Amino acid sequence: MRIALLSRNAKLYSSRRLIEAAEARGHEVVVLDALRCYMDIESGKPEVHYKGKTLEKFDAVIPRIGASITFYGTAVLRQFEVAGTYPVNESVAISRSRDKLRSMQLMSRKGVGIPKTGFAHSPDDTGDLLKLCGGAPVVIKLLEGTQGIGVVLAETKSAAESVIEAFRGLNAHILVQEFIKEAGGADIRCFVVGGKVIAAMVRQGAEGEFRSNLHRGGSASLAKLSKQERETAINAAKVMGLNVAGVDLLRSSRGPLVMEVNSSPGLEGIENASGKDVAGTIIEFIEKNASVGSARTRDAGSTRARTAKPKPQA
Ligand code: ADP
């Protein structure tokens, strides 16, 4: 197969491993910087161009789109989709999962366990918003934040009010969430491929840190999942419409709660912690699916059957 890897840096661990795994199985991989792809949106003949050349058709595209380029990156991916290339994760699913508020709304509709979460505009509603989330302590999250930046633990009502006021003053949108204390500064990253959890790790925050992000000094080890945790992770990926997803769970006293579903989960932490060949599993998934169907836009509630023939859709 001819596979396009949308990645800004071929030297990153995740990119290297995907290239290695695909080549080991006899596929050709071309790494493309999404920001250098441009689009000819002509009727009946959509094309992707790259650095002055028209790209020949690929069988599959693996999108690794960073949060800072979500808008342009998903537009490029959509162009591959309308041109008939099979996307490992679809553009619409990536956009959906990148929006923390939209993700939470969709998961709440489908009954996936999530922490109590509130969202409001007016400062007049701050008091009630805090009550909805069970009162202080609460976690306040910038909608646009990643890697734990913009995630604040407010221990008291007045601290929460001040933080909310400060973010509002900056015109930032924020979510307010109940603080899951019993998670003990740890979360579980479940790596889902094709509706199965193929690897999982526990991430433990550094001493005195409630955020477990590896970028914030957290450490990772192999996780053993309960059936309920496994099912929750699979459900969350399904609701988002993601074939490949990193689902982050908190272990709460009322069972697993989904914090976030990541559409371009990193491979380094999970391969090291689990010892699994995650890159190889992703390539195997592509082998099984790229030839069957092509781009197919599923929404979070869609139950449409898979089409056997490639059928580009927007
Ligand atoms: P980001 O997308 O920036 O990583 P997250 O929502 O994943 O933001 O939060 C970062 C970390 O903060 C999580 O990995 C988790 O350890 C901790 N955390 C987030 N929300 C909660 C919560 N409601 N209760 C307890 N800990 C939380």
Side-chain angles (χ1 to χ4, degrees):
M1 279 195 296
R2 242 170 76 75
I3 301 174
L5 174 62
L6 281 185
S7 165
R8 301 217 58 209
N9 186 351
K11 296 200 177 81
L12 291 178
Y13 180 94
S14 301
S15 305
R16 276 195 287 115
R17 286 285 300 124
L18 287 163
I19 297 167
E20 215 171 81
E23 289 180 349
R25 286 165 174 76
H27 305 302
E28 180 197 350
V29 183
V30 181
V31 181
L32 302 169
D33 175 357
L35 294 186
R36 293 298 308 275
C37 293
Y38 48 104
M39 298 156 244
D40 183 352
I41 310 170
E42 196 185 315
S43 174
K45 197 171 147 281
E47 283 175 349
V48 183
H49 293 247
Y50 193 70
K51 297 185 178 174
K53 294 206 177 80
T54 309
L55 291 177
E56 276 177 41
K57 198 180 159 218
F58 286 92
D59 300 297
V61 51
I62 306 177
R64 298 210 47 97
I65 295 169
S68 60
I69 64 155
T70 300
F71 180 78
Y72 195 79
T74 51
V76 167
L77 179 60
R78 196 158 52 238
Q79 186 72 1
F80 276 99
E81 291 167 7
V82 295
T85 298
Y86 174 79
V88 175
N89 277 335
E90 290 173 14
S91 55
V92 69
I94 295 173
S95 306
R96 193 185 281 142
S97 67
R98 281 285 154 86
D99 182 335
K100 291 191 192 200
L101 174 61
R102 188 174 170 192
S103 312
M104 287 289 160
Q105 289 174 311
L106 292 170
M107 287 191 281
S108 84
R109 181 179 73 184
K110 293 284 178 180
V112 178
I114 50 173
K116 268 188 220 149
T117 303
F119 187 63
H121 174 78
S122 168
D124 295 342
D125 299 319
T126 300
D128 203 28
L129 187 68
L130 290 173
K131 270 195 222 140
L132 290 181
C133 301
V138 289
V139 176
I140 299 165
K141 296 186 182 185
L142 265 183
L143 274 190
E144 297 79 17
T146 58
Q147 299 178 355
I149 299 162
V151 179
V152 179
L153 172 61
E155 311 249 16
T156 63
K157 183 164 178 275
S158 67
E161 285 166 349
S162 314
V163 174
I164 293 172
E165 197 185 338
F167 278 144
R168 282 227 174 91
L170 296 168
N171 279 329
H173 290 297
I174 46 148
L175 287 180
V176 178
Q177 211 164 62
E178 79 178 295
F179 175 52
I180 308 299
K181 188 164 190 275
E182 62 272 26
D187 73 355
I188 317 278
R189 160 61 60 95
C190 304
F191 207 105
V192 179
V193 178
K196 288 196 189 94
V197 179
I198 59 148
M201 63 176 165
V202 185
R203 296 180 298 195
Q204 179 69 55
E207 183 73 29
E209 171 62 71
F210 83 101
R211 295 167 299 180
S212 57
N213 304 68
L214 299 184
H215 290 97
R216 314 224 65 74
S219 57
S221 56
L222 185 71
K224 225 180 141 3
L225 299 185
S226 69
K227 186 163 172 269
Q228 196 190 7
E229 286 167 345
R230 204 169 276 280
E231 284 172 0
T232 302
I234 292 168
N235 253 336
K238 187 166 166 242
V239 170
M240 291 300 126
L242 291 169
N243 293 317
V244 173
V247 180
D248 296 341
L249 301 177
L250 287 172
R251 281 181 164 153
S252 84
S253 47
R254 60 176 195 275
L257 304 177
V258 178
M259 237 178 346
E260 192 169 29
V261 185
N262 200 306
S263 57
S264 294
L267 302 188
E268 188 167 14
I270 195 82
E271 286 199 335
N272 286 337
S274 69
K276 300 261 171 69
D277 177 11
V278 174
T281 311
I282 294 174
I283 302 299
E284 270 169 31
F285 174 82
I286 296 173
E287 287 168 352
K288 285 196 195 105
N289 290 275
S291 55
V292 181
S294 186
R296 191 173 64 91
T297 302
R298 278 167 302 182
D299 62 37
S302 168
T303 51
R304 268 181 290 160
R306 187 167 195 96
T307 44
K309 281 256 165 64
K311 192 176 162 209
Q313 288 181 14

